[in-house]
Amino acid sequence: MLTDRKPIKIHEAIEAVLEFAKEGEIEYIPIEESDNRILKASIKADHDIPPFDRSPLDGFAVRAEDTVSASSANPIELEVIETVGAGGLSNSIPQKGQAIRIMTGAKMPEGTDAIVMFELTKEIERNGKTFVSISRKFNPGDNISFQGEETRSGDVLVEAGRQVEPGVKALLATFGYSKVPVAKKPTIGVYATGTELLDVHEELKPGKIRNSNSYMISSQISKAGAIPKYFGKLVDDFDRCFEAVKNALEEVDVLITTGGVSVGDFDYLPAIYEKLGANVLFNKVGMRPGSVTTVAEYNGKLLFGLSGNPSACFVGFELFVRPWVQIFLGSKKPHLQMVHGELKSDFPKANPFVRFIRSKMTIESGKVFAEPVGLDKSGVVTSLANSDALVVLPGGTRGFQKGDTVTILLLNGEGGTAIFKEKRS
Amino acid sequence: MLTDRKPIKIHEAIEAVLEFAKEGEIEYIPIEESDNRILKASIKADHDIPPFDRSPLDGFAVRAEDTVSASSANPIELEVIETVGAGGLSNSIPQKGQAIRIMTGAKMPEGTDAIVMFELTKEIERNGKTFVSISRKFNPGDNISFQGEETRSGDVLVEAGRQVEPGVKALLATFGYSKVPVAKKPTIGVYATGTELLDVHEELKPGKIRNSNSYMISSQISKAGAIPKYFGKLVDDFDRCFEAVKNALEEVDVLITTGGVSVGDFDYLPAIYEKLGANVLFNKVGMRPGSVTTVAEYNGKLLFGLSGNPSACFVGFELFVRPWVQIFLGSKKPHLQMVHGELKSDFPKANPFVRFIRSKMTIESGKVFAEPVGLDKSGVVTSLANSDALVVLPGGTRGFQKGDTVTILLLNGEGGTAIFKEKRS
């Protein structure tokens, strides 16, 4: 029974974990399967965009000099000698008095240097020939999209570490990435502890509850970008637990256990770490919930001993496991995005420790607010489902009031670069 | 060639599309595969949480009346007659002077009415028996988690229409949803038009560019919650195009085409809608980009004719297709989340039409800002990848300045209930 634990500060705990962070390998996957994956290499333009001078409009490619004298009073007429669609190339070179009908996106025909849009022209059929009437002057370069004006060959378009979103996918396609270089996902094992736990398909029995943490954590693992591997429940026998943990470690990059790290008679994890000879980085953190969060390292692999309490388990994952995963994937923003906002309701209960309060973030009239959810006991269960942020309340002797500025960690944000750090030392 | 198109207002266009919105069917999928799916039924508690009075601590279950006289000067001793782990049940009923050692989560033993935490006790072995020494008084109910104090059987915990996130998953597991009732995903077909388009694996050729829209749109479809089905490129022949569109419609819930809706010679879509006998809802919208966005309806199915211009295609999807998909899935927030914020840089170019400017949203000191990306031509390509919001600039004769309050549509937000609507009539 471990009762003499020394709590360390939250940021020290995160830093201790990240000493064992490492970047994973690259793999090449079909572009069709690349949504939400993290790029392991920067995306570079291997050609100019546009790749050639082209028409941005449906209209006529002309020699600007032919239009010098055009006016509404004296429109000029040019003979239309060819039509070029997008993707087509002109076969002829217009001479004085000639033009080429051209569609949006088509390459500028040789010999032409301006585009006149359909809307400003009139077409005339005469003697089996087609003429276009133009009633104003155009200058060389008018209405041309020039080669390279959007992007030059060699430009870095998206940095490594970014997630593939629809806009990124468009760039990957534009530059021919039929295979996309992405970070290989780490595999995170999950073992639940607790003889009170029933599986989701089991009927309730007296004294038992269903295991919700493993499902929640597996979801968090997927959301963080890794592959969850659920091993089941650890049985209530130390030797078998020890073997199970040891064997699981062989199959995963990181192993999470939920429960079993507190001071109860069947909280085997501390003894398992000891028997393994694992290096316990910390076994108590100055925070609520999740103070018993324990992290150990064995042969370079991390074992996260998260609390069996659902809130503590959730917070422990987001603070400690998520950044490890994101760094493995090469993300430049491994932490939860941290913003500030106004507390939307009083939070009167003081606590000597830093607290992470599950909350709902809203934006009203351009300002950020956060409302704690599940403040009373009757909200504990639903607060799991209704929060998209964690409000961080510093430890102290007073409560907090509506309107107070608080730190907010966004659960669905774009990630952040900074580690949460308590202000007081 | 369709040149006499009458633009309709953006919100009228959205409303016209949503007249053909309908909710899709329900399907039951394993909880393990339910991440990010949308719940088609509300999640109800089918039992109390906690399901029984239980200990929230590791400690001793006592009869409070036995501790009435306890003080540090005169600690009382109770005989420990049994140990109950979480998930276990007590076999004995403590009589006067007896206690049961109990672990976090275990059911309160019959006959006990308070929990004393380990930290406030001392255990003593004497004559082969174990005693616990307690040095203060406890009242009936102290440190007990009472049945139903978190949730009552029958409470609605999560409403239908919500997405499965880690916290929702925990509830699903708690209440035994091994199969989860979710909305069946609609299938959205995609046909690209444009003879200039090369596939992603093809080498660049003069006059050609790679097809990026189909990949981008497929990503947007997945992100919106539907299944993309890419049919390839429509060939450059009207009759074959017509057959292809007609056949594709049989296989999908909605068909998107990119390109082919403008006024060029090979823009077949308007003629295809006509030959089909489809009901064209609109073929011009008062907005930039995407003014040529066309939507038609045929036998209750929608055909979205999005522009071939990547920005216009992107915006057209988010404004018109996304809400249709989200309503099909049963979401209560089908539109992009709309917030307000400060423009972070000048946007001097005036335009008579409402514009959607790809932008990056940031939060600084509790306030929302938006910075247009890709303002100049050289940013067009990368702006695809670097925006997470659309700033909406009303049409008018003046530009916009840094500090102006603008409407912002969030591409990665939680969705919204309101349709964007121009202020002026």
Side-chain angles (χ1 to χ4, degrees):
Chain A
M1 216 164 78
L2 252 167
T3 44
D4 54 342
R5 298 179 173 188
K6 289 206 188 76
I8 68 169
K9 285 190 201 314
I10 297 161
H11 72 92
E12 288 169 356
I14 297 171
E15 284 160 4
V17 165
L18 296 188
E19 288 213 4
F20 295 92
K22 57 179 181 200
E23 280 212 29
E25 288 172 13
I26 196 169
E27 65 179 337
Y28 290 83
I29 60 169
I31 183 171
E32 291 82 0
E33 299 164 15
S34 65
D35 283 334
N36 301 321
R37 297 297 295 268
I38 293 190
L39 293 173
K40 191 73 182 168
S42 297
I43 303 304
K44 264 192 192 168
D46 69 349
H47 62 266
D48 293 340
I49 297 283
F52 40 79
D53 295 348
R54 70 183 173 196
S55 174
L57 305 162
D58 298 317
F60 295 91
V62 301
R63 297 151 32 98
E65 62 184 270
D66 289 353
T67 69
V68 167
S69 67
S71 67
S72 7
N74 288 302
I76 56 128
E77 285 184 15
L78 304 175
E79 184 192 354
V80 181
I81 59 170
E82 193 183 348
T83 294
V84 183
L89 295 172
S90 55
N91 297 311
S92 40
I93 301 174
Q95 305 300 314
K96 186 170 168 54
Q98 295 184 322
I100 288 181
R101 191 179 165 89
I102 190 168
M103 300 301 126
T104 306
K107 190 171 188 290
M108 286 297 290
E110 200 181 325
T112 66
D113 57 7
I115 297 289
V116 183
M117 53 282 263
F118 274 169
E119 294 85 335
L120 299 182
T121 64
K122 215 164 64 189
E123 278 179 277
I124 301 147
E125 298 287 328
R126 193 189 313 130
N127 303 332
K129 288 182 172 176
T130 305
F131 295 86
V132 59
S133 164
I134 296 171
S135 50
R136 53 161 268 221
K137 182 190 165 197
F138 286 83
N139 293 315
D142 276 358
N143 298 322
I144 295 177
S145 288
F146 290 102
Q147 176 174 345
E149 73 177 15
E150 293 185 15
T151 293
R152 286 276 172 202
S153 179
D155 285 357
V156 171
L157 303 172
V158 186
E159 299 280 354
R162 283 276 309 280
Q163 200 172 18
V164 177
E165 288 274 343
V168 172
K169 193 102 159 264
L171 288 185
L172 291 169
T174 299
F175 293 103
Y177 284 83
S178 55
K179 298 276 181 180
V180 182
V182 298
K184 208 167 167 177
K185 295 182 175 194
T187 299
I188 315 259
V190 178
Y191 251 125
T193 74
T195 42
E196 77 276 27
L197 298 180
L198 299 169
D199 202 17
V200 64
H201 60 268
E202 290 183 89
E203 283 298 311
L204 275 191
K205 286 173 206 149
K208 309 266 185 182
I209 58 170
R210 290 208 191 86
N211 172 12
S212 59
N213 284 343
S214 301
Y215 291 94
M216 181 181 73
I217 284 283
S218 295
S219 250
Q220 289 178 285
I221 291 170
S222 299
K223 193 173 170 183
I227 300 167
K229 185 179 174 86
Y230 179 50
F231 287 102
K233 271 188 306 176
L234 280 175
V235 292
D236 204 7
D237 172 279
F238 178 78
D239 291 327
R240 287 169 66 197
C241 280
F242 175 77
E243 286 303 316
V245 166
K246 199 159 183 277
N247 292 336
L249 269 173
E250 304 284 317
E251 298 180 41
V252 297
D253 295 294
V254 157
L255 183 64
I256 292 174
T257 49
T258 62
V261 285
S262 196
V263 295
D265 293 357
F266 307 107
D267 289 333
Y268 290 144
L269 268 303
I272 290 175
Y273 301 143
E274 197 179 336
K275 185 167 175 187
L276 264 179
N279 160 28
V280 174
L281 308 185
F282 53 85
N283 60 18
K284 191 154 195 168
V285 187
M287 65 186 235
R288 294 285 183 277
S291 63
V292 295
T293 305
T294 300
V295 180
E297 171 262 331
Y298 177 67
N299 286 345
K301 282 185 183 173
L302 291 176
L303 296 100
F304 290 90
L306 303 182
S307 163
N309 168 288
S311 310
C313 187
F314 184 94
V315 170
F317 181 92
E318 295 297 325
L319 287 185
F320 303 115
V321 190
R322 186 186 188 279
W324 186 94
V325 172
Q326 285 277 303
I327 288 173
F328 189 96
L329 295 173
S331 163
K332 304 286 185 283
K333 295 179 172 180
H335 302 284
L336 292 179
Q337 188 181 355
M338 201 189 312
V339 301
H340 292 88
E342 259 185 42
L343 203 56
K344 244 191 144 178
S345 54
D346 292 349
F347 194 91
K349 237 174 120 188
N351 193 301
F353 296 98
V354 175
R355 275 170 309 173
F356 294 88
I357 314 288
R358 279 179 300 187
S359 304
K360 178 93 190 101
M361 186 268 237
T362 51
I363 296 174
E364 292 164 38
S365 304
K367 285 175 70 180
V368 175
F369 294 86
E371 167 112 55
V373 289
L375 276 189
D376 50 12
K377 281 185 174 179
S378 71
V380 175
V381 172
T382 45
S383 74
L384 276 167
N386 293 329
S387 58
D388 58 9
L390 298 170
V391 161
V392 191
L393 297 182
T397 51
R398 61 168 201 90
F400 295 84
Q401 290 185 311
K402 182 178 167 170
D404 282 355
T405 296
V406 290
T407 300
I408 306 167
L409 301 178
L410 304 184
L411 298 172
N412 300 326
E414 58 174 10
T417 52
I419 292 180
F420 169 77
K421 204 164 178 171
E422 301 95 322
K423 277 207 186 102
R424 26 198 127 182
S425 63
Chain B
M1 216 164 79
L2 253 167
T3 44
D4 54 340
R5 299 179 173 186
K6 289 205 189 78
I8 67 169
K9 285 191 204 309
I10 297 161
H11 71 92
E12 287 168 358
I14 297 171
E15 284 159 3
V17 166
L18 296 188
E19 290 216 358
F20 296 92
K22 56 178 180 199
E23 281 210 30
E25 291 172 9
I26 198 169
E27 65 178 337
Y28 291 82
I29 60 169
I31 184 173
E32 292 82 0
E33 297 164 17
S34 67
D35 283 334
N36 302 318
R37 297 295 295 268
I38 294 188
L39 293 174
K40 191 73 182 166
S42 298
I43 303 304
K44 264 191 191 169
D46 69 349
H47 63 268
D48 292 341
I49 298 284
F52 40 79
D53 295 350
R54 70 183 173 196
S55 174
L57 305 162
D58 298 318
F60 295 90
V62 302
R63 296 152 34 99
E65 60 185 271
D66 290 353
T67 67
V68 167
S69 66
S71 67
S72 8
N74 288 302
I76 57 127
E77 285 184 13
L78 303 176
E79 183 192 356
V80 181
I81 58 169
E82 193 183 349
T83 294
V84 183
L89 295 172
S90 54
N91 296 313
S92 39
I93 301 174
Q95 305 300 313
K96 186 169 166 53
Q98 296 185 321
I100 288 182
R101 192 178 163 88
I102 190 168
M103 299 301 125
T104 306
K107 191 171 188 290
M108 285 299 290
E110 199 181 327
T112 67
D113 57 5
I115 296 289
V116 183
M117 52 282 260
F118 275 171
E119 295 85 334
L120 299 182
T121 63
K122 216 164 63 186
E123 279 180 276
I124 301 149
E125 298 287 329
R126 193 190 314 131
N127 304 331
K129 288 183 173 177
T130 304
F131 294 86
V132 57
S133 163
I134 297 172
S135 51
R136 54 161 267 221
K137 182 190 169 201
F138 286 81
N139 294 314
D142 277 357
N143 300 321
I144 295 177
S145 288
F146 290 102
Q147 176 173 346
E149 74 177 14
E150 294 185 14
T151 293
R152 286 275 171 206
S153 180
D155 285 357
V156 171
L157 303 171
V158 187
E159 299 280 353
R162 284 276 310 280
Q163 199 171 17
V164 178
E165 289 274 344
V168 173
K169 194 103 160 262
L171 288 185
L172 291 168
T174 299
F175 293 103
Y177 285 82
S178 56
K179 298 277 181 180
V180 182
V182 297
K184 207 167 168 179
K185 295 183 175 194
T187 299
I188 314 260
V190 178
Y191 251 125
T193 74
T195 43
E196 76 277 25
L197 299 180
L198 298 169
D199 202 17
V200 64
H201 61 267
E202 292 183 89
E203 282 299 310
L204 276 191
K205 287 174 207 151
K208 309 266 186 183
I209 58 169
R210 290 206 191 86
N211 172 13
S212 59
N213 283 344
S214 300
Y215 292 94
M216 180 181 74
I217 284 283
S218 295
S219 251
Q220 289 177 283
I221 291 170
S222 301
K223 193 173 170 182
I227 300 167
K229 185 179 173 87
Y230 178 50
F231 287 101
K233 271 187 308 178
L234 280 176
V235 291
D236 203 8
D237 171 278
F238 177 80
D239 291 326
R240 286 169 65 198
C241 280
F242 175 78
E243 286 304 316
V245 166
K246 199 158 183 280
N247 293 335
L249 269 173
E250 304 284 318
E251 298 180 42
V252 298
D253 295 293
V254 158
L255 183 64
I256 293 174
T257 50
T258 62
V261 285
S262 194
V263 295
D265 292 358
F266 307 107
D267 289 333
Y268 291 143
L269 268 303
I272 290 174
Y273 300 142
E274 197 181 336
K275 187 168 174 186
L276 266 179
N279 160 28
V280 174
L281 308 184
F282 53 85
N283 59 19
K284 192 156 195 167
V285 187
M287 65 185 238
R288 296 283 184 278
S291 64
V292 295
T293 305
T294 300
V295 180
E297 172 262 330
Y298 177 67
N299 286 345
K301 281 186 184 173
L302 292 176
L303 296 100
F304 290 90
L306 304 182
S307 163
N309 167 289
S311 310
C313 187
F314 184 94
V315 171
F317 181 91
E318 296 297 324
L319 287 185
F320 303 115
V321 189
R322 186 185 188 281
W324 187 94
V325 172
Q326 286 277 304
I327 288 173
F328 189 96
L329 295 173
S331 163
K332 304 286 186 281
K333 295 180 172 180
H335 302 285
L336 292 179
Q337 188 182 355
M338 201 187 315
V339 301
H340 292 87
E342 260 186 43
L343 203 55
K344 242 192 148 178
S345 54
D346 291 349
F347 194 91
K349 238 174 118 188
N351 192 302
F353 295 98
V354 175
R355 275 169 309 174
F356 294 89
I357 315 289
R358 278 179 302 189
S359 304
K360 178 91 191 105
M361 186 268 237
T362 51
I363 295 173
E364 291 164 40
S365 304
K367 286 175 69 180
V368 174
F369 294 86
E371 166 112 55
V373 290
L375 276 188
D376 50 13
K377 281 185 173 177
S378 70
V380 175
V381 172
T382 45
S383 75
L384 277 166
N386 293 328
S387 57
D388 58 11
L390 298 170
V391 162
V392 191
L393 297 182
T397 52
R398 61 169 202 92
F400 295 84
Q401 290 185 311
K402 182 179 166 169
D404 282 355
T405 296
V406 290
T407 300
I408 306 167
L409 302 177
L410 304 185
L411 298 172
N412 300 326
E414 59 173 9
T417 52
I419 291 180
F420 169 78
K421 204 164 180 172
E422 300 95 323
K423 277 205 184 104
R424 27 199 125 182
S425 64

